[in-house]
Amino acid sequence: GITHVVNCTARTCESFFEDSLTYLNMYLDDTPKSDIDLLLYEVVDFVRQARSKCGKVLIHCEAGVSRSCSFVMGVLIASHEMSFKRAFDRVTLVRRVCNPNAGFCSQLIAFAQRFRSITAVSRPRLYVVTSIQKFSGRPVARTCLYGNMKCPRVMDSRHCYLLVAPDRGCGFFWIGDTSIASESCQKRSKDALEPVVSTLIRIDSRGKHLGLGDDGLVVISEGDSSSSSSSSSFLEILRECGYVTK
């Protein structure tokens, strides 16, 4: 029987069987603007751990049309290196109403392209972290930028940036002076991001790294004037990872 459950709509659908089943609760809205890139890694890791214990996983949302189908597709893409179309066709065979929203589709297409290329999957990625979810403590990260792309010459103080380098097994979290995180939740942000980054590195490095290195997630505050934690040092790290400042 079912041993593990991914509840994509924990805000509106209660997890009734937490005493007997292992849950991964997510608070995800079914809108094209919702970001699922980091969540895909969390679900893939949850499913892999369940299967390693001979468990069976149920992934559900409210209607079984967009959110749950998207994550099932993500698991197929990451575990079997399927293309977006092949994963979509596979899910549609057993769930004819499968219809992820346009935003989820575009993120899944990028996810699939990443896993079908060894170079792309290990390439550094830059995320803009907009907030930390109230219910789960998870980071909400906007679209990611790949290496060899242009980035600002000066970092935007209104935002927080997460740089993940799977090939190096490391991650950096830059906090702008006027961002929400700089005011009240720096430690909470780091605590929420570390397991996510560790999972991403473990999956994307394909076993080369088991997670974050000994230094953990390095936090760089804009207002810190020390040589090792300045904005200029973060820009230098970006350049080392293949980014070009414009």
Side-chain angles (χ1 to χ4, degrees):
I2 300 297
T3 58
H4 294 68
V5 178
V6 178
N7 181 356
C8 303
T9 55
R11 186 184 292 111
T12 56
C13 182
E14 187 176 347
S15 299
F16 290 101
F17 307 105
E18 289 186 300
D19 291 340
S20 55
L21 301 175
T22 301
Y23 274 85
L24 173 61
N25 292 316
M26 294 188 294
Y27 303 82
L28 181 65
D29 294 326
D30 184 18
T31 68
K33 292 184 178 180
S34 293
D35 291 286
I36 62 171
D37 190 283
L38 294 181
L39 293 176
L40 286 167
Y41 285 96
E42 194 169 356
V43 173
V44 168
D45 187 59
F46 181 79
V47 171
R48 286 182 177 178
Q49 290 192 37
R51 290 177 65 91
S52 70
K53 301 173 184 176
C54 299
K56 294 183 179 180
V57 185
L58 168 68
I59 301 178
H60 78 84
C61 52
E62 288 188 1
V65 173
S66 180
R67 285 166 286 194
S68 58
C69 289
S70 295
F71 287 111
V72 172
M73 289 173 61
V75 172
L76 293 175
I77 288 168
S79 301
H80 303 284
E81 297 183 6
M82 289 186 180
S83 65
F84 169 84
K85 184 179 184 306
R86 188 181 170 198
F88 178 81
D89 291 343
R90 183 71 177 271
V91 175
T92 304
L93 278 176
V94 295
R95 184 66 179 168
R96 295 183 65 85
V97 295
C98 171
N99 187 25
N101 70 55
F104 291 174
C105 284
S106 64
Q107 293 175 74
L108 284 166
I109 289 171
F111 192 67
Q113 291 172 340
R114 189 183 310 161
F115 275 90
R116 289 169 66 83
S117 168
I118 295 177
T119 302
V121 79
S122 62
R123 196 163 52 180
R125 292 197 297 283
L126 182 65
Y127 296 86
V128 180
V129 180
T130 56
S131 63
I132 302 296
Q133 281 186 346
K134 177 181 178 181
F135 296 97
S136 67
R138 289 186 183 88
V140 178
R142 214 163 56 214
T143 53
C144 63
L145 304 173
Y146 287 96
N148 301 319
M149 290 186 65
K150 291 183 178 181
C151 65
R153 194 181 296 274
V154 178
M155 306 308 297
D156 190 334
S157 298
R158 298 171 298 175
H159 300 307
C160 298
Y161 295 90
L162 173 66
L163 175 65
V164 184
D167 58 336
R168 301 184 182 193
C170 60
F172 301 87
F173 184 43
W174 186 86
I175 301 175
D177 275 347
T178 58
S179 69
I180 296 175
S182 68
E183 297 177 2
S184 61
C185 59
Q186 287 192 27
K187 184 178 186 302
R188 184 168 180 238
S189 298
K190 181 181 179 183
D191 291 345
L193 283 166
E194 277 193 327
V196 175
V197 174
S198 186
T199 296
L200 190 155
I201 289 173
R202 183 171 64 254
I203 293 174
D204 276 6
S205 68
R206 302 190 178 188
K208 180 181 177 182
H209 299 286
L210 297 179
L212 283 165
D214 294 337
D215 293 334
L217 181 65
V218 179
V219 176
I220 302 175
S221 299
E222 183 181 16
D224 193 331
S225 60
S226 66
S227 59
S228 61
S229 301
S230 64
S231 297
S232 59
S233 69
F234 186 67
L235 287 170
E236 285 298 323
I237 294 168
L238 285 172
R239 295 188 192 102
E240 290 174 6
C241 289
Y243 285 88
V244 179
T245 54
K246 58 184 177 180

